[in-house]
Amino acid sequence: MRWTLKQTTNQTSVNHLKEVLGIDEVLAKLLVDRDIHTFEEAKKFFRPTLDDLHDPYLMKDMDKAVYRIELAIRNKERILVFGDYDVDGTTSVALVYSYIQSYYPDVDRYIPDRYAEGYGISYQGIDYAADNNISLIIALDCGIKSIDHINYAKAKGVDFVICDHHLPGDTLPDAYAVLDPKRSDCNYPYKELCGCGVGFKLIQALAKNRGIDVYQLSEYLDLVVTAIGADIVPITGENRILAFEGLKVLNETPRPGIQALLEVYKQNNYTISDIVFKVAPKINAAGRIEHGNYAVDLLTRFSIEEARNTAKMILAFNEERKVLDQAITEQAKEQIIVEKAINSKSTVVYNPEWHKGVIGIVASRLIETYYRPTIVFTKSGNVLAASARSVKNFDLYAALEACSDELIQFGGHMYAAGMTCNIENYEAFKAKFEEVVANTIEEKDLIPEIEIDAELNFSDITPKFCRILKQFEPFGPGNMNPVFLTKNVYDTGYSKTLGVNKEHLKVFVKQRGNLSTSFSGIGFNFGSYNDKITNRSFFDLVYSIEENEWNGKINQQLQIKDMQLV
């Protein structure tokens, strides 16, 4: 593991914030690292409010989208809300469908089948609309590149309002309205909304058109924060406001479907991290194992009893997903060993029997073990389909472009992608991908890196410091939980291993020269370090600071990221 200590790039701003906010150097540096330089910017950061959301009509085509939806309602047209099968798509459909249905009954919803229809707008979905006398489709979290599909729909007399957040191609689809803050001609001030976020801006505009205040839409924000967490978009700007307010709803008055998913845990407070690791995988499991409709059913239930029944099915899908994920990961590791690919610069594995719904998860698992660009293939009809994941600083999309002659198609971005290839081209692609990675990746990028925000002494971690640090939440991309380094730490004699296989480490530590301050800490999968630190050896500790609730008491606990003996 490489440790990299971030350097202060704007000491003037750090000094200014220390003075106007009355905070210490480290906290001021953390704010500057988040591009916060003034008192006013800090105030907006620490006090997110729905009042600071942008006017939805600043988004290109929003007026046209609202006009077309209101026209459909006046003319008693049937409306179809269409979205992808992942968390962002299913929460988006639940959001817009629920809102429109609250005042207009003739609205339907549609999630494509992951295996029969694939990602995005499908011809089957358009046929469903045409066959059922639906004249308007609202597409969420997809559609920005669906030029042929939209033309097909127009020929059948079906209009589209597209709400997407992915990067458009050179040509936009000929839809009635195209909402996408990443459109080159869209001047909307915030570009990083997820699909459900764009959906929320649409219902905000519809509500505004009806004289309804944005605060009356708060009940939908548990869906929005779930999508923000699952889609790993930056927790900055408008996303920070939506996440902050959404977590309040999720923790205090969640909709029955989310409440049913959370009932298996005994927590009082859920964070973005909990959404990522506890809620999102379950919602995703519906589309991976069976069908995304189960997820939308769950998220639109009115009664907790109905929600619990649907949640039972989804939890069963998730258990099946975990079994598949674990088994395929082990098979993939065996394949790597058999093929003597341990020292390769990339990982490319294939088995025709692997479940297409979990190969993306398996790719991520393999990176945890081998830490290099990874692609997992399986058979899909007459071709091979794959999911790919990358490591920090390596452009996966560019590497796939260099291998595109061996592929049928591919899409994605720097760190994640999907592709298809002919079976007879698999070995050639695998060799070419390894060659491209070996020639372009830097050796240091094959070693996991921990970025350290600042060095602290334990005496710096005061109640005031922790109180202000808590106001940095919610944490996520663009606003990660700060990571600190403390040097010359030692075990006080009470550290021990935890877990069935003693794989985890519970520490009780002090810092040399500071006998009065001690902290407990937890290091998952650090059990092997116990013997090294219990003989009073000094070590350097990298950690984040978290609250630990036990028997009704809340204490600060160090979440260990890494440690090195001095």
Side-chain angles (χ1 to χ4, degrees):
M1 193 76 75
R2 289 185 294 133
W3 294 6
T4 304
L5 183 62
K6 291 181 185 176
Q7 300 301 313
T8 302
T9 55
N10 190 333
Q11 191 61 44
T12 302
S13 289
V14 171
N15 293 340
H16 174 69
L17 289 176
K18 280 172 60 180
E19 183 180 343
V20 298
L21 297 176
I23 58 177
D24 69 17
E25 175 99 9
V26 169
L27 292 168
K29 179 183 181 296
L30 292 176
L31 288 172
V32 172
D33 287 344
R34 285 153 179 75
D35 203 26
I36 295 162
H37 303 273
T38 67
F39 177 85
E40 196 57 38
E41 288 169 349
K43 182 182 174 185
K44 285 184 181 292
F45 178 78
F46 285 127
R47 301 287 182 269
T49 168
L50 294 178
D51 292 331
D52 287 335
L53 290 178
H54 303 301
D55 183 342
Y57 284 95
L58 293 174
M59 195 175 292
K60 181 80 172 177
D61 275 7
M62 185 63 81
D63 53 343
K64 293 167 70 176
V66 170
Y67 172 80
R68 183 65 187 89
I69 294 167
E70 293 294 358
L71 180 67
I73 292 170
R74 283 199 304 276
N75 292 341
K76 295 183 168 54
E77 298 175 56
R78 297 199 70 203
I79 300 172
L80 182 69
V81 181
F82 184 109
D84 193 28
Y85 41 71
D86 67 3
V87 178
D88 198 10
T90 52
T91 53
S92 299
V93 169
L95 172 88
V96 175
Y97 170 80
S98 298
Y99 179 72
I100 294 177
Q101 194 190 44
S102 71
Y103 61 90
Y104 181 67
D106 210 353
V107 57
D108 197 359
R109 66 201 193 204
Y110 190 99
I111 302 290
D113 184 278
R114 186 184 198 112
Y115 305 105
E117 299 170 69
Y119 168 80
I121 294 170
S122 66
Y123 291 112
Q124 292 96 315
I126 295 167
D127 288 342
Y128 173 86
D131 293 344
N132 287 276
N133 198 31
I134 291 166
S135 50
L136 175 63
I137 297 177
I138 303 171
L140 295 144
D141 189 36
C142 60
I144 198 62
K145 291 186 176 180
S146 300
I147 292 168
D148 292 341
H149 291 88
I150 303 306
N151 291 339
Y152 178 79
K154 285 190 81 171
K156 284 182 167 277
V158 179
D159 281 344
F160 261 89
V161 168
I162 291 173
C163 306
D164 207 345
H165 70 120
H166 298 101
L167 199 63
D170 294 334
T171 305
L172 291 176
D174 190 19
Y176 194 94
V178 178
L179 307 179
D180 188 333
K182 292 192 176 80
R183 281 179 62 165
S184 60
D185 59 348
C186 180
N187 294 321
Y188 192 72
Y190 188 71
K191 302 293 184 183
E192 301 300 330
L193 293 168
C194 62
C196 194
V198 178
F200 184 81
K201 299 309 294 187
L202 175 62
I203 73 165
Q204 187 187 353
L206 288 166
K208 185 175 181 179
N209 192 53
R210 290 168 167 260
I212 296 169
D213 186 81
V214 68
Y215 282 91
Q216 292 176 258
L217 303 177
S218 293
E219 65 183 278
Y220 299 97
L221 290 176
D222 55 350
L223 291 170
V224 181
V225 71
T226 299
I228 285 171
D231 225 49
I232 318 182
V233 290
I235 312 291
T236 58
E238 205 161 36
N239 280 345
R240 180 173 171 78
I241 297 169
L242 294 169
F244 181 84
E245 294 293 338
L247 283 172
K248 279 190 198 173
V249 178
L250 188 140
N251 279 297
E252 295 167 14
T253 55
R255 67 193 49 245
I258 290 178
Q259 181 185 335
L261 288 182
L262 294 177
E263 282 179 342
V264 299
Y265 305 105
K266 306 298 180 189
Q267 283 181 232
N268 293 325
N269 186 59
Y270 293 92
T271 66
I272 292 288
S273 180
D274 292 316
I275 289 172
V276 173
F277 294 108
K278 295 176 180 176
V279 180
K282 295 177 178 61
I283 296 174
N284 256 332
R288 291 186 188 279
I289 301 300
E290 192 63 34
H291 200 288
N293 279 332
Y294 286 93
V296 179
D297 287 346
L298 176 75
L299 297 171
T300 53
R301 293 296 188 206
F302 289 109
S303 78
I304 187 62
E305 291 78 16
E306 288 180 337
R308 283 173 182 146
N309 288 334
T310 309
K312 273 182 194 172
M313 289 187 282
I314 285 182
L315 291 171
F317 297 148
N318 191 50
E319 288 306 309
E320 185 178 345
R321 187 272 306 168
K322 286 197 280 190
V323 169
L324 285 167
D325 156 16
Q326 188 174 5
I328 294 171
T329 299
E330 289 308 311
Q331 290 168 19
K333 288 179 180 177
E334 287 173 18
Q335 190 176 127
I336 290 165
I337 293 167
V338 168
E339 294 180 358
K340 297 182 172 59
I342 293 290
N343 296 317
S344 298
K345 304 296 185 187
S346 68
T347 296
V348 181
V349 289
Y350 162 60
N351 185 314
E353 302 300 320
W354 287 342
H355 194 292
K356 188 179 173 186
V358 300
I359 55 175
I361 302 172
V362 172
S364 297
R365 297 266 190 264
L366 293 175
I367 284 182
E368 290 172 11
T369 302
Y370 301 108
Y371 202 74
R372 58 201 188 199
T374 299
I375 305 177
V376 181
F377 278 91
T378 189
K379 201 162 187 287
S380 179
N382 296 320
V383 299
L384 303 186
S387 281
R389 299 291 184 268
S390 192
V391 297
K392 189 177 177 183
N393 298 327
F394 184 76
D395 192 336
L396 178 66
Y397 190 87
L400 292 176
E401 277 188 315
C403 306
S404 57
D405 288 350
E406 308 297 340
L407 297 172
I408 299 171
Q409 61 181 16
F410 69 97
H413 51 79
M414 183 168 176
Y415 291 117
M419 70 212 73
T420 55
C421 122
N422 288 315
I423 296 171
E424 60 269 22
N425 289 354
Y426 170 73
E427 290 296 341
F429 168 78
K430 182 176 180 177
K432 179 67 174 175
F433 185 72
E434 169 66 18
E435 178 189 335
V436 170
V437 174
N439 289 337
T440 55
I441 198 165
E442 294 189 35
E443 284 296 323
K444 68 178 178 62
D445 292 329
L446 291 167
I447 304 170
E449 177 189 30
I450 292 181
E451 279 196 305
I452 299 165
D453 291 275
E455 184 177 341
L456 284 181
N457 291 316
F458 279 166
S459 58
D460 297 326
I461 308 175
T462 63
K464 179 184 177 182
F465 180 92
C466 293
R467 193 169 62 249
I468 296 172
L469 189 64
K470 184 164 178 57
Q471 294 177 47
F472 278 69
E473 297 178 4
F475 295 124
N479 181 39
M480 297 300 286
N481 193 351
V483 175
F484 301 112
L485 164 66
T486 297
K487 293 182 176 178
N488 293 313
V489 171
Y490 64 93
D491 164 48
T492 59
Y494 298 99
S495 295
K496 59 184 179 181
T497 53
L498 303 173
V500 176
N501 299 311
K502 298 186 175 182
E503 66 270 35
H504 308 311
L505 179 65
K506 179 76 173 178
V507 299
F508 297 87
V509 290
K510 290 185 176 183
Q511 185 180 18
R512 181 159 53 185
N514 179 7
L515 298 178
S516 60
T517 308
S518 65
F519 286 98
S520 67
I522 185 75
F524 295 107
N525 298 311
F526 277 89
S528 61
Y529 282 76
N530 189 51
D531 292 339
K532 300 173 186 175
I533 67 169
T534 50
N535 61 1
R536 289 291 175 134
S537 298
F538 289 103
F539 55 95
D540 295 342
L541 192 63
V542 174
Y543 57 91
S544 56
I545 301 171
E546 298 183 350
E547 286 186 343
N548 180 44
E549 186 174 338
W550 181 254
N551 288 337
K553 287 187 176 182
I554 296 176
N555 295 303
Q556 304 305 322
Q557 177 177 263
L558 310 183
Q559 179 85 41
I560 298 170
K561 305 294 182 183
D562 203 10
M563 53 205 307
Q564 291 179 358
L565 292 175
V566 177

